[in-house]
Amino acid sequence: MTDVPTSGPLTLAELEAIPVERLRGVGQKKKASLAQVDVHTVADLLTYYPRRYIDRTKEARVSDVAPGEEALVLGTVARIDSRRTRNGRTLVTASISDGSGRLSVTFFNQPWRTKQLAEGTVAAFFGKVDLYRGAKQMANPVVDLVGDRTGRIVPIYPQSDKAGLMTWDVASFVTESLRRCSERGLGDPLPADVLAQWGLMSRHQAMTLIHGPESMSDVFGARSRLVFDELLRVQLTLLRRKRALELACVGVQHRIEGELVDRFRSALGFELTAAQQRTMDEIDFDLSSATPMHRLLQGDVGSGKTLVAVHAMVVAVQGGHQAALMAPTEVLAEQHALGIRELLSEIEVPDDRTLAGWRPLRVELLTNRVGAPARRKILAGLAAGEVDIVIGTHALIQDGVEFASLGAVVVDEQHRFGVEQRDKLRDQGRSDGRVPDLLVMTATPIPRTAAMTVYGDLDVSVLDELPPGRTPIITHRVEDDVGLSEMWHTVREEIADGGQVYVVCPLIEESEKLDANSAEEMFERLAATELSGRRLGLLHGRLSGHEKEATMAAFRAGELDALIATTVIEVGVDVPNATVMVIESAERFGIAQLHQLRGRVGRGSAASRCYLVSTHEVTSDGDARLDALAATTDGFELAEVDLELRGEGTIFERRQSGRNDLRLASLRRDKEWVVRARSAAGSILDDDPSLGRYALLADELKWFLSDREGGDYLLKG
Ligand code: ADP
Ligand code: MG
C-alpha cells in the first residue's frame, strides 16, 4: 500500500482509509445500505456521483407548460391507481398537483410506481407534456424523488429501494464528507501545465461542485476534470505497461519477402481488399522490427481477418519459425484448421531432411479432444519444429506444449481470453528469451477511442471494408404469431430453393446444460411442426466433440437443411450457403452477440435474412437493441449504440467488487477526453518515465492498482 502522509492535502488513498461509519449519521443500518451499492469508504462515497441533476431554475408550473413541450414539474402525488389494460399490461395513472394545476402522469408496465409514488410523495417529473382528453398529461416521465432538498440544482444520486438508500441520504453523507475534507483540501496530482492546457479546475473544486453545483455549467466543468482524472489513470497504466513491455522484450525480426509469402499470395483466388492490404503492411512493419508485435486486428464479421492472420503466420514459417493460433472454442478451432489447411494446401516449406528438399507445410489441430497418441505425435512435432502451424484451444497453453521456435502467435476473439492466457502462449514459445509476435483478432467492433482504452496496451489495425460481392443481410423483427408463421413460410421456401438455415435457441443462462435442453426441445418441436420433413441437425455444447464435428461437416456439405443450435455457432462458423438466421428470444442477447450471430449468414453471394424473434414482452433496452440491429449491419454503429445502452463502467475486469475505473467518464460521450488523456499520459511519460517528479500521480496510480490484486487485474483484461 501507498505510504499515507498525515498532513497536507488529502489523497484518494487517505480517503479510502476512512470507513463510512466514521461519518455522522451513518450507523449500522446505513452502513449496510451503502455497502450494498459498494460504498465502503469516504473515497467510495465521494466518487458515488449524482446520476443527474434537477435544475430547479428550469422548473415549470403546471399551469404554464404548453402541450408539446418538455418540462420539469415538481409536485405532490394527489392520487394514484393502477389497472390492467385489455392486452394485459399494467397502466399506472397518477394525479400530480403543484398548486398551479393538475397534471396526469401515466406509466405503462411499471406496476411498482404505485409503491414509489404513494399519495403525498413529492417528486420531480420530467417529460413531454401532451393533451389527453383536454387535460395535461405526461407519459412515462423520468421521476426523481427529491424529499425536502433545496437549492437551485439538486443532485440526484443513484438510489436503491432494496438497499434502503435514498438520494437525500447520500447527499447528506457526501456533504458531511466534504465538510471534513475542507480543512486540508483534496490534493491535486495533475501538474499545472496539464490543468492549464485543458482548462481544468482543481480536484478539490471539481469534487465540491459535482456534488453541490450552483449552476449546470459548474457540473459541466467539474465533470470534465473528474472524467479526465479517470481516463488519465487508465491511460497512464496502459501506456506504462506497453512501454515497459517494449523496453524489456526483444522480438524475432522476420523477413517479409520470400518465396513462401509469394506463393501464398498468388494461390489466393481473389484480390485483397484495400483494408486487408493496409493491415498486412502494418503487420509486416511490426514483424520485421526488433520490438515484438503487440497488435489488435479489429474487423467486422466477414471482413477477412483470417487471411490477414494467416499471412502473418506464413511470414513466421518462411523464416523457419512456427506459428500458433488460439481460438476460444473447439468448433472455432476446427473451423480455422479446416479453412487454413485449405488456404495453405499448395504450400511447401524447405526441409533438408527430405529428399526433394521440400515438404508440405504442416498444420495441426490441438484441442482437448485430440486423443493421447495423436496428441503425443503433435507435441513431438512441435518440439522438433516439424509442425509449422498449430491451431487449437486452451489446450495450446497446457503444460507439455513446447515449440522449437515459435515466431508468431494469433489469438482469435480475444474477449474470451484473459491477457495472461495470450501471454502464456507467447512465453512458452521460445527458449532464447526472445518474444514471439502477437496478433489479437476481434470481431467485436469497438469505436476507436474505446479501443484505445480497452486495448490500450495494443496497437490497433482496423479492417473497415468487406470483401466485394456480399449482399447485405435483411433483418426482420418478429413479434407476433402472424410474423412467426410468415417467417417459417419463408424459411421453408429458402430450403426448397437450396438455402440453409440456422436456428439459434434462446439463451437460458450461463449453463450449457439448460441451453442444450432448450436446443433439444426446439429441435424436436421444429421437426414435428414448422420444419417437419426437412433435414435437421442439432448442435450444442454438451455433444461430444465427434458429434459436433460430424454435424458441422454435414451442414457444411449441404446434407442438412437447418441447424438448430445454441450460441456455439456465434463465432467463426463459415458456411456460405447458409442464407437464413433465425434467433429465438432475441431480446435475451446483447447487441454484440446478435451481430456476431447474424454475421453467420450473408457470407455468400445470395441475399440473406436474419429474423429476430421476440414474442414475449421486451424491456425498452431490449427493444432498442433489436431496433438497432434491424436498422443497420454496420458493426461500428452498433458498437456505439451498445456502449450507450449498456452504459460503461469497468475497463479492467473487476465487475464483482472494487471500484470501477470509469464512474463518470463515458467512452462514448467523452471521446475527446479519451484522446486528451492518452496524449497527456504520453507526454507525462515522455517527460519522466518513472514518474519520479510526479509523486502524487505516482502514488495515485499505486493506489489505483492496489485494490486490484497487486496490479494483476490488468492481466485479466
Ligand atoms: P472474419 O474472420 O473477419 O469474419 P473471414 O476471414 O472468415 O472473416 O472471411 C470471411 C470470408 O471471406 C471467407 O470465406 C474468406 O475466404 C473470404 N474472403 C476473405 N478475404 C477476401 C477477399 N479479399 N476477397 C474475397 N473474399 C475474401
Ligand atoms: Mg473469422
Side-chain angles (χ1 to χ4, degrees):
M1 231 356 257
T2 319
D3 293 330
V4 179
T6 48
S7 62
L10 286 154
T11 64
L12 291 184
E14 279 174 288
L15 297 175
E16 178 94 345
I18 311 173
V20 279
E21 60 263 39
R22 300 259 298 275
L23 295 169
R24 202 169 40 180
V26 181
Q28 282 310 310
K29 212 159 144 230
K30 289 299 172 193
K31 181 187 165 194
S33 303
L34 287 167
Q36 282 203 42
V37 294
D38 257 328
V39 172
H40 307 278
T41 70
V42 169
D44 295 337
L45 191 58
L46 289 182
T47 52
Y48 192 73
Y49 297 115
R51 189 169 40 139
R52 62 173 163 266
Y53 299 84
I54 299 181
D55 182 351
R56 298 184 66 173
T57 62
K58 297 252 169 66
E59 188 179 321
R61 290 156 52 85
V62 172
S63 58
D64 297 339
V65 275
E69 281 175 3
E70 286 210 317
L72 172 72
V73 169
L74 198 73
T76 310
V77 179
R79 190 177 50 74
I80 186 157
D81 337 276
S82 160
R83 66 179 177 85
R84 292 219 147 240
T85 63
R86 256 172 297 144
N87 53 16
R89 311 198 171 188
T90 35
L91 177 67
V92 171
T93 311
S95 173
I96 310 301
S97 159
D98 75 344
S100 80
R102 289 235 166 184
L103 175 72
S104 159
V105 169
T106 56
F107 301 96
F108 296 97
N109 278 325
Q110 302 173 14
W112 49 274
R113 292 291 190 185
T114 51
K115 279 216 196 78
Q116 182 200 29
L117 297 171
E119 284 163 25
T121 308
V122 178
F125 301 86
F126 180 79
K128 187 160 155 258
V129 176
D130 291 313
L131 224 44
Y132 181 72
R133 295 188 178 157
K136 287 178 188 171
Q137 173 186 286
M138 234 184 228
N140 289 327
V142 176
V143 178
D144 286 309
L145 303 184
V146 287
D148 55 357
R149 316 246 331 273
T150 50
R152 276 190 296 181
I153 309 278
V154 181
I156 300 295
Y157 291 92
Q159 41 190 357
S160 159
D161 274 339
K162 204 170 101 236
L165 190 68
M166 304 309 284
T167 173
W168 45 86
D169 296 326
V170 180
S172 84
F173 305 149
V174 167
T175 310
E176 162 84 355
S177 309
L178 284 171
R179 191 184 58 76
R180 292 179 48 174
C181 292
S182 62
E183 194 185 319
R184 282 171 60 187
L186 297 180
D188 204 320
L190 285 191
D193 58 328
V194 174
L195 289 180
Q197 185 179 6
W198 306 115
L200 294 168
M201 59 176 74
S202 74
R203 176 176 285 173
H204 187 91
Q205 193 183 10
M207 204 54 101
T208 309
L209 289 182
I210 197 102
H211 291 292
E214 288 289 315
S215 67
M216 286 312 285
S217 83
D218 282 353
V219 173
F220 184 79
R223 190 179 176 282
S224 298
R225 165 60 208 253
L226 298 168
V227 159
F228 187 80
D229 279 3
E230 291 182 350
L231 293 169
L232 182 68
R233 283 195 287 263
V234 169
Q235 291 301 342
L236 277 172
T237 305
L238 291 167
L239 215 55
R240 267 214 300 194
R241 177 182 148 90
K242 183 169 191 292
R243 293 192 177 185
L245 263 175
E246 285 168 3
L247 276 178
C249 296
V250 181
V252 181
Q253 270 178 280
H254 298 274
R255 191 168 55 85
I256 308 302
E257 271 79 44
E259 200 170 346
L260 237 58
V261 171
D262 290 347
R263 284 201 216 164
F264 169 63
R265 289 292 192 94
S266 53
L268 289 178
F270 42 71
E271 295 282 306
L272 297 175
T273 65
Q276 282 172 322
Q277 186 61 62
R278 186 189 64 232
T279 302
M280 285 184 186
D281 290 345
E282 286 163 358
I283 289 172
D284 286 349
F285 179 84
D286 289 355
L287 288 172
S288 58
S289 127
T291 306
M293 171 162 79
H294 207 220
R295 185 171 285 278
L296 177 72
L297 174 58
Q298 220 195 314
D300 213 340
V301 274
S303 58
K305 292 183 293 295
T306 314
L307 197 66
V308 174
V310 172
H311 164 78
M313 297 199 280
V314 169
V315 170
V317 170
Q318 173 175 265
H321 303 286
Q322 294 158 297
L325 187 156
M326 183 161 68
T329 65
E330 291 183 346
V331 171
L332 186 52
E334 280 151 20
Q335 178 94 26
H336 271 310
L338 214 70
I340 290 173
R341 278 195 181 123
E342 195 172 302
L343 273 173
L344 299 176
S345 59
E346 307 284 298
I347 311 288
E348 301 202 306
V349 292
D351 185 349
D352 300 338
R353 285 167 291 191
T354 62
L355 210 56
W358 292 87
R359 63 167 174 81
L361 190 152
R362 185 165 160 204
V363 179
E364 292 289 354
L365 174 68
L366 185 65
T367 66
N368 284 333
R369 270 210 229 136
V370 173
R375 181 181 156 85
R376 235 174 286 125
K377 258 166 91 182
I378 296 171
L379 293 187
L382 283 172
E386 288 156 7
V387 171
D388 303 294
I389 292 180
V390 64
I391 294 163
T393 53
H394 291 84
L396 290 177
I397 49 176
Q398 282 160 3
D399 290 336
V401 183
E402 277 170 35
F403 294 85
S405 170
L406 186 61
V409 172
V410 178
V411 178
D412 195 7
E413 308 297 344
Q414 111 105 22
H415 54 293
R416 297 173 181 229
F417 288 109
V419 177
E420 78 236 294
Q421 289 171 315
R422 70 183 195 210
D423 283 356
K424 180 146 195 266
L425 185 51
R426 282 207 316 180
D427 294 346
Q428 73 191 15
R430 303 191 65 83
S431 50
D432 64 357
R434 288 191 293 170
V435 174
D437 289 293
L438 173 71
L439 183 67
V440 176
M441 299 197 278
T442 176
T444 310
I446 317 167
R448 204 174 180 95
T449 44
M452 209 180 254
T453 311
V454 181
Y455 297 107
D457 60 336
L458 299 171
D459 296 306
V460 180
S461 291
V462 183
L463 281 180
D464 50 6
E465 185 185 348
L466 294 182
R470 301 276 165 85
T471 357
I473 304 165
I474 303 161
T475 302
H476 309 270
R477 290 192 58 178
V478 176
E479 294 173 275
D480 54 23
D481 291 345
V482 178
L484 274 177
S485 77
E486 280 171 12
M487 173 182 88
W488 290 119
H489 179 76
T490 314
V491 166
R492 286 188 296 266
E493 280 184 347
E494 281 285 326
I495 292 176
D497 285 348
Q500 289 172 287
V501 179
Y502 296 102
V503 180
V504 178
C505 299
L507 188 72
I508 307 291
E509 51 184 82
E510 293 288 316
S511 152
E512 267 200 348
K513 181 155 179 265
L514 291 177
D515 285 350
N517 289 347
S518 112
E520 267 160 23
E521 272 166 35
M522 174 78 63
F523 177 84
E524 268 150 36
R525 192 161 60 74
L526 290 178
T529 57
E530 301 291 358
L531 298 182
S532 76
R534 275 69 181 184
R535 299 167 301 170
L536 307 185
L538 176 65
L539 195 72
H540 58 66
R542 300 257 291 176
L543 295 174
S544 77
H546 184 73
E547 288 167 305
K548 273 192 269 188
E549 213 166 344
T551 304
M552 232 16 253
F555 189 69
R556 222 176 269 123
E559 291 156 13
L560 292 173
D561 299 315
L563 190 63
I564 292 61
T566 58
T567 51
V568 292
I569 62 156
E570 184 185 343
V571 284
V573 173
D574 188 9
V575 179
N577 192 48
T579 50
V580 182
M581 166 67 62
V582 173
I583 305 177
E584 294 279 344
S585 300
E587 75 279 2
R588 298 201 194 173
F589 297 92
I591 284 190
Q593 210 172 11
L594 290 169
H595 181 61
Q596 285 298 321
L597 285 168
R598 176 169 62 182
R600 301 305 113 208
V601 296
R603 307 197 136 237
S605 51
S608 294
R609 290 167 195 283
C610 171
Y611 291 96
L612 304 172
V613 180
S614 59
T615 47
H616 302 285
E617 208 159 278
V618 175
T619 62
S620 67
D621 268 12
D623 214 44
R625 286 199 297 271
L626 298 182
D627 277 347
L629 260 296
T632 180
T633 51
D634 181 329
F636 285 90
E637 216 173 303
L638 287 170
E640 297 248 348
V641 176
D642 197 23
L643 267 182
E644 177 156 72
L645 287 177
R646 267 186 307 133
E648 302 104 46
T650 314
I651 287 177
F652 301 129
E653 196 90 15
R654 287 277 299 184
R655 298 212 164 89
Q656 300 83 339
S657 63
R659 40 184 121 70
N660 287 347
D661 339 342
L662 302 186
R663 294 207 157 189
L664 215 46
S666 145
L667 297 182
R668 178 180 164 79
R669 264 191 301 165
D670 300 313
K671 278 185 206 151
E672 76 276 28
W673 286 111
V674 174
V675 177
R676 287 170 193 162
R678 178 80 165 181
S679 125
S683 9
I684 290 172
L685 291 176
D686 285 343
D687 177 46
D688 183 3
S690 68
L691 296 181
R693 275 179 287 112
Y694 296 87
L696 277 177
L697 200 52
D699 265 5
E700 183 154 315
L701 283 183
K702 232 193 268 175
W703 162 78
F704 178 64
L705 297 173
S706 67
D707 192 37
R708 304 155 192 269
E709 295 151 7
D712 280 354
Y713 76 95
L714 251 185
L715 305 179
K716 299 205 169 69

